[in-house]
Amino acid sequence: MANQSVGLHVEDSGGTGRPVVLIHGWPLSGKAWEHQVPALSAAGFRVITYDRRGFGASEKPDSGFDYSTLANDLADVIAAKGLDDVTLVGFSMGGGEVARYVAEHGESKLHSVVFAAAVPPYMMKTPDNPEGPLTEDKAKEMEAGIKADRAAFFEQFTKDFFSANGELKVSEEERQKAIALCHQSDQTAALGCMEAFGTTDFRDDLKAVSVPALIIHGDADGIVPLEGSGARTHAAIPGSELVVVPGAPHGFNVSHAEDFNRHLIAFLRK
């Protein structure tokens, strides 16, 4: 059954600070937040990260990669940790969990939400979503690439992930760390989640967001372009705050960690 709960690898900094749940991007793991966890902890927050089902050290089931199931997993983490007054921070694919969680589980446990380089409102370009930044051809190319040769796909993907205007913005060591996290992903999960973040329409989900919302995005994001995603999410959520980081690629929580953390902590303190 797709909706059965699975064993998720969760890390919790502990402490009495207000909780912040960090939801990682595809096809990484909670380890992708290593530049954020110490900074947020030092700022007085309790930081929880977890590996999405099928990724990192979490259980690797053969199904359940639709966003409603993934949002149920997030709800399970919140319940298991007894969290309240929490901020959800969704990076890239993780922004979809934030949107779907709000739509299906409500905001009673939430203080605020953050969409960081996130995929909402709707990635796939369709006749009724002409601003979608992902074409069907590009989606098929990605799927074929990871099926044909995972190592070659992750090699190129991490370059694109951390590059702004063709220039790599992180050290080779940082890129290799990301590649290692990519390789921890289960192939079934990687493909299932690729389909989910590419084809899920979050436009109605975003209408449910009424808690304070931060949209933070790099203006040189080549994976989830600002114009087709973050800017539209900002427009869709009344009163939301938009922070654009100049010259920042998709993986800007690593490449521009200081700027990212400064803006995030300023928002969390509100």
Side-chain angles (χ1 to χ4, degrees), residues 140-223:
K140 283 179 178 163
E141 182 190 313
M142 284 178 70
E143 184 186 354
I146 194 171
K147 281 180 173 175
D149 187 338
R150 272 167 65 91
F153 179 89
F154 292 146
E155 173 69 24
Q156 185 59 49
F157 180 77
T158 52
K159 286 179 179 168
D160 297 341
F161 193 92
F162 291 121
S163 290
N165 306 312
E167 185 187 339
L168 191 66
K169 295 293 185 181
V170 300
S171 67
E172 182 59 17
E173 182 191 6
E174 289 282 12
R175 194 178 74 85
Q176 290 298 331
K177 274 200 268 189
I179 289 174
L181 297 185
C182 291
H183 279 290
Q184 290 177 15
S185 66
D186 176 72
Q187 181 77 336
T188 302
L191 287 164
C193 286
M194 182 189 279
E195 181 183 1
F197 74 69
T199 62
T200 302
D201 183 350
F202 298 104
R203 289 177 293 186
D204 282 344
D205 302 69
L206 293 178
K207 291 173 186 171
V209 177
S210 66
V211 293
L214 170 67
I215 293 92
I216 181 167
H217 221 104
D219 69 2
D221 189 330
I223 303 269

Side-chain angles (χ1 to χ4, degrees), residues 11 13 22-25 28-42 47-51 89 91 161-162 170-181 184 251-258 260-261 264-265:
E11 296 191 8
S13 71
L22 304 176
I23 307 158
H24 67 83
L28 305 171
S29 77
K31 297 286 184 212
W33 292 108
E34 68 173 1
H35 292 280
Q36 280 65 55
V37 174
L40 297 182
S41 297
V47 188
I48 295 96
T49 62
Y50 69 96
D51 299 350
V89 182
F91 176 85
F161 193 92
F162 291 121
V170 300
S171 67
E172 182 59 17
E173 182 191 6
E174 289 282 12
R175 194 178 74 85
Q176 290 298 331
K177 274 200 268 189
I179 289 174
L181 297 185
Q184 290 177 15
F252 69 145
N253 65 309
V254 177
S255 66
H256 291 62
E258 204 173 300
F260 185 96
N261 294 348
L264 178 56
I265 289 166

